[in-house]
Structures are given as C-alpha cells and as structure tokens.
Amino acid sequence: MNANDVAAHWESNAETWTIYSRAGYDRYRDALNTPAFLDMLPPVAGLKGLDLGCGEGSNTRAVARLGAHMTGLDIAPTFVRHAHEMEMQDPLGIDYILGDGQFIDFPDASFDFVTAFMSMMDMADQQGVLKGVQRVLKPGGFLQFSILHPCFVPPTRKNVRNEAGEPIAVQIADYFDEATGRIERWLFSTIPAEERARLTPFSIPRFHRTLTSWVSMIVGAGLAIEAFGEPMASSEVALAEPVVADTRIAPIFLHIRARKP
C-alpha cells in the first residue's frame, strides 16, 4: 500500500470523523488519551512545533493553547479544510498544510518539537517518517507520539467481560504479524446504534509493528528514547466514562518521547 492509497482511505473517513469527534463521541481521546499525552508533554510555550497527522486539528489546538507556535500536517484535504475553518473561527496562530508524513518537506532543524497523536501506526514507512522527524528537529528537540499499544492491541484483540458486561481480561493474538496495510473498519462505539446503522464505517489502513520494531526504528533514526507512557483510566474516570474502563485491565495506548541529541 502506497501513500496515495493511505490518503484515499483517510480522505474517505475525514468528514464523518470530524463531525462525530467534534460532537464528543471520541471518548477514548477526550477522556483519557489526549489528557495523558499533554500531561507527559514537556513545556512547549514559545517553541515551534509540528503536529504530524493532525486530522481536523483538535490536538494541534490543544498544544497551541499551551503556548506553542504550531504547524499541522495531514494527508487528507477534508481534514485540512476543517482545521483551517476552525483556525479562522478561533485563531491560535496555527498553519495547516496538506502533506504526507512519510515525506516531511521542511528544511533541516525547522522545529523544536514534533507531536503525532495516534497517527504513526497508520503510516506505511514508519522508519522513513522517524528519519524525517530527526532531520527537521533542532538539536536537543524532541518527538512525542502516541500509538495503539503494540503489545496489547495487536492485529487481533478482544475484551473478555463478566456477566455484568465489565471488562475483566484481554485476549490478544497475532502480535508478530507485521503485515502492512491491513484495513480496519469501525466507528466510535459511543455513537447511538440507530445512528451508527446509517453511517459508513471508517476505513483505516494499519501498519502494526512489534515493540521491538518501534524501539529499533526510533534508535535507528538517531533519536534517544527518554520516556514511555501507558495511560490507565482512574477509577473515577472509568466510572464516569465506562467505555474506557478496559484500560484498567491492560493499556490500549503507548506514548513515547524521544530526543535528538
């Protein structure tokens, strides 16, 4: 699967994704994943940052509100259009650019930091992306990104629930299957069933890599890993947002921060 194929899949998702994520249906993101990512993020006020795979710009805006001067890059024109429109309504000084994270077209040492919220596992040439990130980072700059946890969300994963419907275990398989371009089809689970029935599921190309592969690619790109994060919902959050309660059994997301020497 090449970059044009990936772009076509994400362009097909972009309108529905924007509508329903902005309506509050991406609960894993809003209740757990993004808050944990921002808690792990070093101070960025006054720094120049690049957000890879920015989508409609929700997380880019969150980082900009911390005082960073942000550029958002995405492969889907509809996402970039929605991000631009939001910037016009609520200006935060963000530049949004249509482009491919596999071919980061910026001069060397352009950015103090790079973020990638849940986008890198959907890019085919992750090693190439990481090398591009290393190139555009200033010396001492960092990359922080989130992905589906390679150990606990491999190609085959199933929640095991008790009679009350509460998650009690996770069944996983195919961890070592690094086949490229596997298409996953789903919608945000919190969308009401009657509404889900009339929607076309997202079509998401996924490029699963083992944890060993991720570490090898990061180190091979010339970056030094300095932090891992595995967000777990607190008991209070799990009670308020039952959909994320399974993260108390095993992590769904992995956050990684690596720095350019």
Side-chain angles (χ1 to χ4, degrees), residues 110-132:
S110 294
F111 298 98
D112 298 297
F113 71 96
V114 175
T115 55
F117 292 79
M118 300 301 291
S119 59
M120 289 189 63
M121 73 267 188
D122 300 331
M123 298 180 187
D125 182 12
Q126 291 137 342
Q127 181 73 83
V129 173
L130 288 162
K131 289 180 178 179

Short mmCIF file of all heavy atoms in Angstrom, two decimals, residues 110-132:
data_model
loop_
_atom_site.label_atom_id
_atom_site.label_comp_id
_atom_site.label_asym_id
_atom_site.label_seq_id
_atom_site.Cartn_x
_atom_site.Cartn_y
_atom_site.Cartn_z
N SER A 110 14.06 22.65 11.56
CA SER A 110 12.99 23.66 11.50
C SER A 110 12.18 23.76 12.78
O SER A 110 11.55 24.80 13.02
CB SER A 110 12.02 23.32 10.36
OG SER A 110 12.64 23.42 9.10
N PHE A 111 12.15 22.70 13.59
CA PHE A 111 11.22 22.64 14.71
C PHE A 111 11.92 22.29 16.02
O PHE A 111 12.87 21.51 16.05
CB PHE A 111 10.11 21.63 14.44
CG PHE A 111 9.27 21.97 13.24
CD1 PHE A 111 9.53 21.38 12.01
CD2 PHE A 111 8.24 22.89 13.34
CE1 PHE A 111 8.77 21.71 10.90
CE2 PHE A 111 7.47 23.22 12.24
CZ PHE A 111 7.73 22.64 11.02
N ASP A 112 11.38 22.85 17.11
CA ASP A 112 11.84 22.50 18.45
C ASP A 112 11.29 21.16 18.90
O ASP A 112 11.92 20.46 19.71
CB ASP A 112 11.43 23.57 19.45
CG ASP A 112 12.03 24.93 19.14
OD1 ASP A 112 13.26 25.04 19.18
OD2 ASP A 112 11.26 25.86 18.85
N PHE A 113 10.11 20.81 18.41
CA PHE A 113 9.50 19.53 18.77
C PHE A 113 8.51 19.10 17.71
O PHE A 113 8.04 19.90 16.90
CB PHE A 113 8.82 19.60 20.15
CG PHE A 113 7.57 20.42 20.20
CD1 PHE A 113 6.31 19.83 20.07
CD2 PHE A 113 7.63 21.81 20.36
CE1 PHE A 113 5.15 20.59 20.12
CE2 PHE A 113 6.48 22.57 20.42
CZ PHE A 113 5.24 21.96 20.29
N VAL A 114 8.20 17.81 17.72
CA VAL A 114 7.21 17.22 16.82
C VAL A 114 6.27 16.37 17.66
O VAL A 114 6.72 15.64 18.55
CB VAL A 114 7.87 16.36 15.72
CG1 VAL A 114 6.82 15.64 14.88
CG2 VAL A 114 8.79 17.20 14.84
N THR A 115 4.98 16.46 17.38
CA THR A 115 4.00 15.58 18.00
C THR A 115 3.31 14.76 16.92
O THR A 115 3.23 15.17 15.75
CB THR A 115 2.93 16.35 18.79
OG1 THR A 115 2.32 17.32 17.93
CG2 THR A 115 3.54 17.05 20.00
N ALA A 116 2.80 13.61 17.30
CA ALA A 116 2.00 12.79 16.41
C ALA A 116 1.01 12.02 17.28
O ALA A 116 1.39 11.08 17.98
CB ALA A 116 2.87 11.83 15.60
N PHE A 117 -0.23 12.48 17.27
CA PHE A 117 -1.27 11.87 18.09
C PHE A 117 -1.95 10.75 17.29
O PHE A 117 -2.70 11.00 16.34
CB PHE A 117 -2.34 12.90 18.47
CG PHE A 117 -1.90 13.98 19.42
CD1 PHE A 117 -1.15 15.07 18.98
CD2 PHE A 117 -2.27 13.94 20.76
CE1 PHE A 117 -0.78 16.08 19.84
CE2 PHE A 117 -1.90 14.95 21.63
CZ PHE A 117 -1.15 16.02 21.17
N MET A 118 -1.66 9.52 17.62
CA MET A 118 -2.36 8.35 17.06
C MET A 118 -2.35 8.32 15.54
O MET A 118 -3.32 7.95 14.90
CB MET A 118 -3.81 8.32 17.58
CG MET A 118 -3.93 8.22 19.08
SD MET A 118 -3.12 6.74 19.76
CE MET A 118 -4.21 5.45 19.14
N SER A 119 -1.22 8.72 14.97
CA SER A 119 -1.14 8.74 13.50
C SER A 119 -0.02 7.85 12.95
O SER A 119 -0.15 7.33 11.83
CB SER A 119 -0.94 10.17 13.01
OG SER A 119 0.24 10.75 13.54
N MET A 120 1.03 7.63 13.70
CA MET A 120 2.19 6.96 13.11
C MET A 120 1.97 5.49 12.84
O MET A 120 2.60 4.92 11.96
CB MET A 120 3.43 7.18 14.00
CG MET A 120 3.92 8.61 13.92
SD MET A 120 5.51 8.89 14.72
CE MET A 120 6.57 7.87 13.72
N MET A 121 1.05 4.85 13.56
CA MET A 121 0.80 3.43 13.28
C MET A 121 0.01 3.25 11.98
O MET A 121 -0.16 2.14 11.49
CB MET A 121 0.07 2.74 14.44
CG MET A 121 -1.38 3.10 14.60
SD MET A 121 -1.58 4.47 15.75
CE MET A 121 -3.37 4.50 15.91
N ASP A 122 -0.48 4.39 11.41
CA ASP A 122 -1.22 4.35 10.15
C ASP A 122 -0.36 4.80 8.97
O ASP A 122 -0.88 5.02 7.87
CB ASP A 122 -2.46 5.25 10.24
CG ASP A 122 -3.40 4.81 11.35
OD1 ASP A 122 -3.43 3.61 11.67
OD2 ASP A 122 -4.11 5.67 11.89
N MET A 123 0.94 4.99 9.19
CA MET A 123 1.87 5.39 8.13
C MET A 123 2.69 4.18 7.72
O MET A 123 3.23 3.47 8.56
CB MET A 123 2.77 6.53 8.61
CG MET A 123 2.01 7.79 8.99
SD MET A 123 3.15 9.11 9.55
CE MET A 123 1.95 10.34 10.12
N ALA A 124 2.80 3.97 6.41
CA ALA A 124 3.42 2.74 5.92
C ALA A 124 4.92 2.69 6.20
O ALA A 124 5.44 1.67 6.65
CB ALA A 124 3.16 2.61 4.41
N ASP A 125 5.64 3.79 5.95
CA ASP A 125 7.09 3.80 6.11
C ASP A 125 7.45 4.51 7.41
O ASP A 125 7.94 5.64 7.41
CB ASP A 125 7.73 4.49 4.90
CG ASP A 125 9.26 4.49 4.97
OD1 ASP A 125 9.82 3.77 5.82
OD2 ASP A 125 9.88 5.23 4.18
N GLN A 126 7.23 3.84 8.53
CA GLN A 126 7.48 4.48 9.82
C GLN A 126 8.95 4.81 10.03
O GLN A 126 9.29 5.84 10.62
CB GLN A 126 6.94 3.58 10.94
CG GLN A 126 5.43 3.50 10.94
CD GLN A 126 4.90 2.09 11.16
OE1 GLN A 126 5.62 1.12 10.99
NE2 GLN A 126 3.64 1.98 11.53
N GLN A 127 9.84 3.95 9.54
CA GLN A 127 11.28 4.24 9.65
C GLN A 127 11.61 5.53 8.90
O GLN A 127 12.36 6.39 9.40
CB GLN A 127 12.10 3.09 9.11
CG GLN A 127 13.60 3.30 9.19
CD GLN A 127 14.13 3.18 10.62
OE1 GLN A 127 14.40 2.09 11.09
NE2 GLN A 127 14.31 4.30 11.29
N GLY A 128 11.05 5.69 7.71
CA GLY A 128 11.28 6.90 6.93
C GLY A 128 10.72 8.13 7.61
O GLY A 128 11.33 9.20 7.59
N VAL A 129 9.54 7.98 8.23
CA VAL A 129 8.94 9.10 8.96
C VAL A 129 9.85 9.52 10.11
O VAL A 129 10.12 10.72 10.31
CB VAL A 129 7.55 8.72 9.50
CG1 VAL A 129 6.99 9.83 10.40
CG2 VAL A 129 6.59 8.47 8.34
N LEU A 130 10.35 8.56 10.86
CA LEU A 130 11.20 8.88 12.00
C LEU A 130 12.51 9.54 11.57
O LEU A 130 12.99 10.47 12.22
CB LEU A 130 11.49 7.60 12.80
CG LEU A 130 10.28 7.07 13.59
CD1 LEU A 130 10.50 5.61 13.98
CD2 LEU A 130 10.03 7.92 14.83
N LYS A 131 13.06 9.11 10.46
CA LYS A 131 14.26 9.76 9.94
C LYS A 131 13.96 11.19 9.51
O LYS A 131 14.78 12.10 9.72
CB LYS A 131 14.85 8.95 8.79
CG LYS A 131 15.48 7.64 9.22
CD LYS A 131 16.05 6.86 8.05
CE LYS A 131 16.71 5.56 8.51
NZ LYS A 131 17.25 4.79 7.35
N GLY A 132 12.77 11.40 8.91
CA GLY A 132 12.38 12.75 8.54
C GLY A 132 12.17 13.64 9.74
O GLY A 132 12.54 14.82 9.73
#
